[in-house]
């Protein structure tokens, strides 16, 4: 009869000696595979007397199970050793420059938004956000648009289907509702810019139903129009990357500011190329003003204690001006050739230290 102890020892030695998963598997097949030595032993049980079977059955079974366990433990050990060896030999140098010609590029609107955020962050402004689908209250009422006022119609508003109470939500027509959300969420002082998507039912070379604005808001006890003008001047110089800009503040009307102004900057259109800061042309770039006392009251701020200023401008328009992009609709046409031409490297984050656009 086979010496079980000797057989087990022999197999265990072979398992220990296996140096890779293939040689280990050969040992496994030779022992507990269909035609293996242990399997052959199991088959002898059939020809034994009941007494012999009762005695040998459990012994053979535990031999087979013990071998199976040893094989699987060795398999894990070999696997881990192989992984350790691979980890030790394969290295990725993350400091290597990426390959030239990276795939994909940054959309000019993302680029310009990042530039705007970099400039205002440098002046101490945080970024605030709000929802694209707004209530009438935030988009109009709280901003001092009286019910039925013609200024509401000027916005070509997209209205949503009315809810059970008949209230119609709107796709926000400007980023100004986030002024209200900002003032309701915390106590002054506030210094925020609010970039985001806005919507109006309008479409031609310079208008698309969805477009982008950036809003600015500062509220505290002492801020004033001088600060507003200084901030806007700093912004224009930094954004257009010029030493000086000349700005004209024209009286205008917005329900949520008093006084209200529109701002033009001096530019030169002659020679086919737009130059900012020189020439005889003026171009409107934004609306602004001192926050209307009614707006402050609507958010429970006492206009005798607090004052604020705000501005709003079109991001897409700024992108068109700075990067000489003639048609606004192309921004949203998802044309790869256009993106390759006007897009920016994904690796250049705009910042003031190294230059915004390079
Ligand atoms: N919300 C205005 C618009 O969409 C832009 C605007 C003008 C925003 C003056 C302001 C502001 O904050 O003070 O036409």
């Amino acid at each position: 009869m086979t010496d079980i102890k000797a057989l087990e020892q022999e197999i265990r030695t072979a398992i220990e000696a296996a140096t890779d998963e293939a040689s280990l598997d050969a040992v496994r097949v030779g022992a507990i595979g269909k035609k293996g030595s242990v399997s052959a032993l199991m088959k002898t049980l059939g020809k034994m007397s009941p007494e012999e079977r009762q005695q040998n059955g459990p012994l053979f079974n535990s031999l087979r199970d013990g071998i199976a366990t040893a094989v699987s433990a060795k398999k894990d050990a070999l696997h881990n050793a192989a992984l350790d060896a691979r980890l030790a030999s394969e290295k990725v140098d993350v400091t290597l420059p990426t390959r030239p010609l990276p795939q994909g590029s940054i959309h000019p609107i993302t680029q310009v938004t990042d530039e705007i955020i970099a400039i205002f962050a440098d002046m101490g402004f945080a970024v605030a956000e709000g929802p694209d689908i707004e209530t009438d209250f935030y988009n109009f009422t709280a901003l001092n648009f009286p019910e039925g006022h013609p200024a509401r119609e000027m916005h070509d508003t997209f209205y949503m289907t009315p809810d059970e109470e008949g209230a119609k939500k709107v796709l926000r027509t400007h980023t100004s509702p986030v002024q209200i959300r900002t003032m309701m969420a915390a106590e002054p002082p506030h210094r925020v810019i609010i970039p985001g998507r806005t919507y109006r039912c309008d479409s031609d070379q310079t208008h698309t139903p969805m477009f982008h604005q950036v809003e600015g808001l500062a509220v505290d006890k002492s801020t004033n129009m001088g600060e507003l003008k200084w901030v806007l001047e700093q912004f224009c110089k930094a954004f257009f990357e010029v030493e000086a800009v000349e700005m004209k503040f024209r009286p205008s009307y917005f329900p949520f500011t008093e006084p209200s102004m529109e701002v033009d900057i001096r530019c030169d259109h002659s020679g086919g190329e737009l130059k900012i800061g020189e020439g005889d042309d003026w171009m409107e770039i934004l609306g602004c003003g001192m926050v209307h006392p009614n707006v402050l009251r609507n958010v429970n701020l006492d206009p005798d204690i607090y004052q604020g200023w705000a501005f709003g401008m079109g991001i897409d328009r700024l992108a068109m001006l700075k990067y000489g992009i003639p048609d606004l609709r192309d921004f949203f046409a998802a044309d790869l050739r256009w993106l390759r031409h006007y897009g920016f490297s994904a690796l250049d984050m705009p910042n003031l230290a190294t230059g915004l656009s390079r």
Side-chain angles (χ1 to χ4, degrees):
M1 204 192 124
T2 317
D3 179 345
I4 296 186
K5 282 264 166 291
L7 178 62
E8 176 169 10
Q9 197 47 55
E10 187 190 319
I11 299 172
R12 284 190 182 272
T13 310
I15 292 174
E16 265 322 298
T19 49
D20 54 31
E21 292 192 34
S23 58
L24 176 67
D25 206 49
V27 177
R28 182 188 62 80
V29 172
I32 54 177
K34 249 193 190 144
K35 294 186 178 137
S37 51
V38 177
S39 309
L41 204 56
M42 305 285 290
K43 281 184 199 137
T44 62
L45 283 173
K47 294 188 190 99
M48 289 180 189
S49 67
E51 294 75 37
E52 280 176 323
R53 199 179 301 136
Q54 210 167 32
Q55 194 198 343
N56 286 308
L59 285 178
F60 293 179
N61 278 340
S62 81
L63 170 64
R64 188 197 51 202
D65 295 349
I67 298 297
T69 311
V71 167
S72 103
K74 178 72 180 183
K75 194 170 173 181
D76 287 349
L78 285 174
H79 179 80
N80 288 340
L83 188 63
D84 284 348
R86 231 183 103 192
L87 287 175
S89 67
E90 289 180 9
K91 286 199 196 89
V92 177
D93 184 349
V94 293
T95 66
L96 280 175
T98 54
R99 288 162 204 267
L101 294 174
Q103 296 289 305
S105 56
I106 297 295
H107 195 284
I109 291 180
T110 307
Q111 166 76 18
V112 165
T113 305
D114 287 343
E115 291 181 16
I116 294 170
I117 291 173
I119 296 167
F120 281 102
D122 194 56
M123 292 192 272
F125 285 73
V127 172
E129 286 179 313
D132 289 16
I133 299 175
E134 265 299 6
T135 61
D136 184 87
F137 173 78
Y138 287 109
N139 198 78
F140 292 124
T141 310
L143 286 163
N144 198 38
F145 285 78
E147 212 73 55
H149 191 279
R152 288 188 182 219
E153 262 78 90
M154 275 159 47
H155 277 205
D156 298 312
T157 313
F158 284 114
Y159 285 95
M160 316 286 287
T161 327
D163 62 17
E164 304 85 62
E165 276 116 53
K168 280 188 272 183
K169 286 202 171 161
V170 301
L171 288 178
R172 68 178 178 192
T173 58
H174 49 178
T175 41
S176 306
V178 190
Q179 285 190 29
I180 303 296
R181 290 179 177 276
T182 301
M183 290 188 281
M184 285 175 119
E187 295 290 311
H190 298 294
R191 252 171 190 66
V192 292
I193 56 161
I194 303 148
R197 293 198 178 96
T198 47
Y199 305 83
R200 290 185 200 182
C201 187
D202 205 355
S203 184
D204 59 34
Q205 194 177 349
T206 53
H207 297 90
T208 49
M210 191 277 294
F211 56 106
H212 299 81
Q213 287 190 339
V214 58
E215 192 86 10
L217 174 72
V219 181
D220 66 22
K221 290 179 181 162
S222 63
T223 191
N224 54 59
M225 213 146 91
E227 193 180 281
L228 166 65
K229 290 178 77 173
W230 181 85
V231 165
L232 290 175
E233 195 179 312
Q234 295 304 307
F235 167 73
C236 286
K237 284 195 288 191
F239 180 74
F240 290 109
E241 300 178 61
V242 292
E243 288 297 314
V245 286
E246 209 178 321
M247 309 173 77
K248 200 155 70 175
F249 286 73
R250 267 184 299 107
S252 183
Y253 171 78
F254 302 103
F256 37 88
T257 42
E258 180 56 39
S260 303
M261 293 154 290
E262 280 176 310
V263 178
D264 303 334
I265 52 174
R266 187 185 282 283
C267 63
D268 184 10
H269 272 303
S270 63
E273 199 194 339
L274 177 73
K275 294 199 200 82
I276 305 288
E278 53 189 273
D280 296 322
D281 298 319
W282 292 92
M283 191 175 51
E284 184 206 316
I285 57 158
L286 61 91
C288 63
M290 298 302 292
V291 177
H292 197 291
N294 286 348
V295 174
L296 293 172
R297 280 187 205 103
N298 288 342
V299 296
N300 284 323
L301 290 178
D302 182 347
D304 290 330
I305 300 175
Y306 288 108
Q307 48 200 1
W309 50 258
F311 65 83
M313 53 193 170
I315 293 181
D316 321 69
R317 197 172 137 74
L318 287 175
M320 290 169 80
L321 290 174
K322 182 164 178 180
Y323 294 113
I325 302 171
D327 194 319
L328 178 64
R329 291 165 297 194
D330 292 338
F331 277 107
F332 312 113
D335 183 337
L336 268 181
R337 291 163 306 174
W338 184 89
L339 248 184
R340 283 193 192 109
H341 181 78
Y342 287 110
F344 292 82
S345 163
L347 299 170
D348 292 336
M349 267 309 282
N351 74 78
L352 293 175
T354 57
L356 284 179
S357 59
R358 297 215 274 147

